[in-house]
Every structure is written in structure tokens, then in C-alpha cells.
Amino acid sequence: MSTRVSGAFDVKVIPQPAEDAAPAVGRMLLDKRFHGELDAVSRGQMLASRTADNDSAVYVAIELVDGSLGGRRGSFVLHHAGTMTREGQQLSVRVAPSSGTGELSGLEGTMNIVIAAGGKHSYEFEYTLPDPVA
């Protein structure tokens, strides 16, 4: 049975210098703090590219999340893949297979990121976890 939780998160996106081999690809460091049932910090990296006319953009990111989820401690990896066009966006944020550690071993799930007016970030996380080992 899956569980759904939601909450706010704070994020710092720290641009990194462009590389000569890929000047059209931006690289950013991610520093996040999740609040709520997911009480955790994460560190990660994002690669992004936008078309010259700003009609579309793509990004990928990987972040290591460390903390507690529903009172269970451990860490896991989130994998992001996003495409943005004038018509809308497609975003996939999934727990990387077999990445859960500690009490989060066996974690599977998907996360929806919501950005409200004013730049406030929140998450909706639907996940499954095996029953704790006694």
C-alpha cells in the first residue's frame, strides 16, 4: 500500500562555471531542506539547457536525500528529468531503484514538485516501504 505525504521545502540553487566543452549546458548545485513527514536535507547537482529563443528547456538532476520519512531514518537518491515548452512542462522525479538505506531500504516512490506564486516550493511524495524488520 502506498503512502502520500506533502510539505514545504527550501532550496538553494548555486550556479557553477560553464565548461568549455559544453557552454550551452548549465550546471548547478542543489541544497535543499525538506519539512513535514519528509524531514531531511539533500545535496545534488542539476544540468540544464535552454533554447536560444527561450521556447524550451530540459534538465536532469540527481540528489541524495538524508533524514527521516514517516519516522524512519535513512537516505535515498532522487532522479529528476524535466522538459519545459510554451505548452507546459513534463517532470518526473523518482526514487532511484535500490537506493534506500537504513530504515528506508526498499523505498520506492515518485515526487511531484509544486512551485507556487512567489517561488514557494512544496512536494507531494507518494511512496511504498516494506514493513519494518522486527
Side-chain angles (χ1 to χ4, degrees):
M1 180 168 85
S2 67
T3 302
R4 183 179 292 248
V5 297
S6 60
F9 71 91
D10 305 305
V11 61
K12 293 179 193 168
V13 178
I14 306 156
Q16 300 300 292
E19 295 185 22
D20 292 339
V25 177
R27 185 171 68 89
M28 279 86 28
L29 300 180
L30 302 173
D31 183 355
K32 291 183 181 175
R33 177 71 171 97
F34 292 92
H35 307 281
E37 284 295 308
L38 176 57
D39 183 17
V41 296
S42 80
R43 305 288 184 271
Q45 292 195 35
M46 176 171 66
L47 295 175
S49 184
R50 181 177 301 275
T51 58
D53 59 8
N54 286 327
D55 273 351
S56 65
V58 296
Y59 93 95
V60 295
I62 297 174
E63 61 182 301
L64 175 63
V65 180
D66 185 38
S68 66
L69 175 61
R72 294 171 67 172
R73 288 210 45 80
S75 65
F76 59 94
V77 172
L78 285 175
H79 167 247
H80 301 236
T83 303
M84 288 71 80
T85 65
R86 287 183 187 256
E87 290 77 38
Q89 67 179 11
Q90 294 180 331
L91 178 60
S92 169
V93 183
R94 305 184 73 77
V95 174
S98 302
S99 66
T101 68
E103 296 173 316
L104 300 179
S105 183
L107 176 69
E108 296 179 359
T110 59
M111 182 178 284
N112 184 37
I113 295 174
V114 179
I115 304 174
K120 298 279 187 189
H121 288 73
S122 62
Y123 66 89
E124 299 165 345
F125 191 27
E126 185 168 345
Y127 68 91
T128 59
L129 264 170
D131 290 333
V133 177

